[in-house]
Amino acid sequence: MKYFGILFIFLFSTNCYAQKFDGLALTPPMGWNTYNTFAGKFDEKIIRDMADLIVSTGMKDAGYQYIIIDDNWTGTRDSLGFLTVDQGRFPSGLKALSDYIHSKGLKLGLYSDAGYTTCGGFTGSRGHEFQDAIMLARLGCDYLKYDWCNTDGINAAGAYTTMRDAIHAAGRPMVFSMCEWGNSKPWVWAAPVGHLWRTTGDITACWDCIDTHGGAYNSYGVMQIFDMQDGLRTYAGPGHWNDPDMLEVGNGNLTMNESRAHFSLWAMLAAPLIAGNDLRKMPKDILTLLTNKEVIAIDQDSLGIQGFRQNRIDSVDVWYKPLKSGDWAVCFFNRGSKLAELNYDWNGQVIHDALANLDLRFDKQTYTLHDCWAQKDIGCTDMVLHTKIPSHDVFLLRLKNK
Ligand code: GLA
């Protein structure tokens, strides 16, 4: 007994019992990130503008809170090994920018990489993990995206655990966003390490395409990324999410229907909602889409259960997601290239979610059908649903239990 006591004191007094910060990302993180629009072409003015716009457009009120500065911000290291910041881009310094972001009631996200250099060729954290975590903490960082370029075959679980421990030792709670593209199946091991983990390579702003970047690496369209989420739902939950990458809503050549479907599907997946469009040029209909509170509520539901495909009827996938209140979200997603006509008889359905251990019994209970895009009640589950769904679009419902 005496020896157990000594072991206990040893574990806690030496801080070798490091862990990730609990109580963060209890719902999927929401924010805005530089990469999808700006890649490396940003400076402090652009980021201030984005922070201003997140507030003035109402995106902050809708739940977007992290302003994430992705790759290309790290400078060289000083003589003591601390990271410097490019003065040309950040003439006021990163701490002033961080203070500005916080003064708006927003949170700061920063990026680094487990290799010596980042994907963009800037300074990475390898060998300086604890030092970088201290610097991030001093800067007031609330969210670290940690990438996986130039890692020379090192072990992913080991490298991410080292950074997790470094953040913990630095003492400032930060959401830890792991970005190793699903290579080592992080969903299997990473729940005690990070708060979210990328499941795939990068998304690109197209509906259905693969960009091979001249053979260097692949980026994937919305459909490719979505289909790669198959089989992962059991691994997600409050504080540990599958991350199918950032939103391309309002980017590239996605149509409005496709942007709406993309956003709805990410909500059904309980995915992080990290916008990446140029907020200075955002059309009204894209803002309306990104701030639809009913769709966001499906994503942010505190039960934290990722949706599942229950059926495929011709070109229409039928997805269900149980919600905390006893409601369910149902998404009819027309993958096809033609308008789909749907006649859906609720009473014929048997819905069992083994993960949530919940059943939907339409023979025992009638639900009100609420159209989350039109934002109105449209009927009940005791009638056959007749609707038409345009190509690459969704019909997204909340089934209300009272
Ligand atoms: C990788 C990541 C992207 C982005 C870029 C930055 O490709 O997967 O999300 O961070 O690096 O260079």
Side-chain angles (χ1 to χ4, degrees):
M1 198 57 213
K2 182 170 85 185
Y3 297 111
F4 277 120
I6 291 168
L7 179 64
F8 188 79
I9 290 165
F10 173 76
L11 283 173
F12 284 92
S13 64
T14 58
N15 195 26
C16 65
Y17 197 68
Q19 56 192 25
K20 76 178 190 186
F21 276 102
D22 277 334
L24 298 178
L26 296 181
T27 62
M30 292 178 67
W32 180 90
N33 176 303
T34 49
Y35 185 65
N36 281 356
T37 291
F38 296 103
K41 298 195 186 78
F42 58 83
D43 58 18
E44 70 177 39
K45 165 137 188 11
I46 287 181
I47 292 159
R48 278 174 184 249
D49 287 352
M50 294 302 150
D52 290 345
L53 283 160
I54 288 274
V55 176
S56 63
T57 56
M59 286 179 73
K60 174 175 174 253
D61 286 344
Y64 297 84
Q65 60 170 338
Y66 294 100
I67 303 284
I68 303 162
I69 306 175
D70 206 283
D71 198 355
N72 295 265
W73 68 269
T74 52
T76 52
R77 294 190 180 276
D78 69 14
S79 61
L80 293 175
F82 283 98
L83 277 173
T84 62
V85 172
D86 181 348
Q87 283 299 311
R89 282 168 192 249
F90 300 99
S92 318
L94 210 44
K95 182 65 171 68
L97 186 56
S98 166
D99 290 345
Y100 185 75
I101 287 169
H102 287 122
S103 77
K104 306 231 104 190
L106 298 167
K107 295 188 169 168
L108 172 68
L110 289 168
Y111 163 105
S112 189
D113 188 290
Y116 294 118
T117 49
T118 69
C119 298
F122 290 76
T123 309
S125 288
R126 187 163 174 195
H128 291 266
E129 292 86 352
F130 280 68
Q131 191 172 23
D132 287 358
I134 289 170
M135 184 185 166
L136 294 170
R138 286 183 182 152
L139 284 170
C141 179
D142 306 295
Y143 180 114
L144 175 63
K145 173 175 172 180
Y146 203 52
D147 212 341
W148 192 240
C149 278
N150 309 310
T151 42
D152 305 330
I154 59 173
N155 174 278
Y160 279 95
T161 302
T162 298
M163 198 60 189
R164 174 203 70 177
D165 292 353
I167 295 170
H168 195 259
R172 181 178 171 92
M174 288 177 217
V175 171
F176 190 30
S177 160
M178 302 173 39
C179 180
E180 61 75 81
W181 318 308
N183 289 358
S184 70
K185 298 189 170 41
W187 45 87
V188 175
W189 53 263
V193 180
H195 300 94
L196 59 157
W197 49 79
R198 282 273 298 278
T199 54
T200 67
D202 290 359
I203 197 167
T204 191
C206 71
W207 179 250
D208 182 6
C209 77
I210 297 179
D211 182 349
T212 61
H213 301 275
Y217 65 99
N218 289 349
S219 301
Y220 303 95
V222 173
M223 283 302 288
Q224 277 76 17
I225 298 262
F226 179 63
D227 285 341
M228 285 188 251
Q229 308 311 309
D230 236 24
L232 301 185
R233 75 182 291 253
T234 54
Y235 300 101
H240 53 96
W241 306 101
N242 291 315
D243 175 6
D245 207 359
M246 300 175 282
L247 296 167
E248 293 285 15
V249 170
N251 286 342
N253 56 12
L254 292 186
T255 64
M256 264 316 283
N257 297 4
E258 290 168 347
S259 278
R260 183 169 38 243
H262 175 21
F263 196 65
S264 307
L265 295 172
W266 262 230
M268 292 301 284
L269 290 173
L273 298 178
I274 309 292
N277 54 325
D278 188 343
L279 305 179
R280 298 167 306 182
K281 301 179 186 155
M282 174 165 52
K284 179 102 184 42
D285 48 6
I286 292 294
L287 172 64
T288 305
L289 198 158
L290 283 171
T291 53
N292 182 315
K293 290 190 180 170
E294 298 189 7
V295 182
I296 291 172
I298 292 171
D299 177 80
Q300 294 289 300
D301 186 77
S302 62
L303 195 59
I305 298 278
Q306 194 171 315
F308 61 96
R309 195 181 76 193
Q310 177 255 350
N311 202 355
R312 178 171 287 170
I313 306 166
D314 301 324
S315 68
V316 176
D317 278 2
V318 186
W319 280 70
Y320 279 75
K321 180 182 195 287
L323 304 173
K324 176 78 179 169
S325 57
D327 293 358
W328 289 70
V330 182
C331 184
F332 297 96
F333 166 40
N334 180 9
R335 309 169 62 101
S337 54
K338 297 196 186 91
L339 184 84
E341 278 200 44
L342 185 74
N343 298 302
Y344 192 75
D345 186 357
W346 303 95
N347 276 313
Q349 309 302 324
V350 179
I351 314 296
H352 173 64
D353 182 356
L355 177 62
N357 194 23
L358 289 169
D359 292 297
L360 247 180
R361 297 291 304 263
F362 297 113
D363 55 342
K364 296 222 162 105
Q365 190 177 348
T366 302
Y367 291 78
T368 302
L369 302 179
H370 182 82
D371 181 336
C372 296
W373 284 111
Q375 304 202 327
K376 61 175 188 203
D377 291 349
I378 54 152
C380 291
T381 51
D382 58 4
M383 289 159 66
V384 175
L385 172 72
H386 301 286
T387 191
K388 293 182 177 150
I389 309 171
S391 158
H392 302 174
D393 205 342
V394 291
F395 191 59
L396 180 61
L397 298 172
R398 177 183 275 260
L399 270 47
K400 296 198 286 190
N401 71 359
K402 40 180 142 28

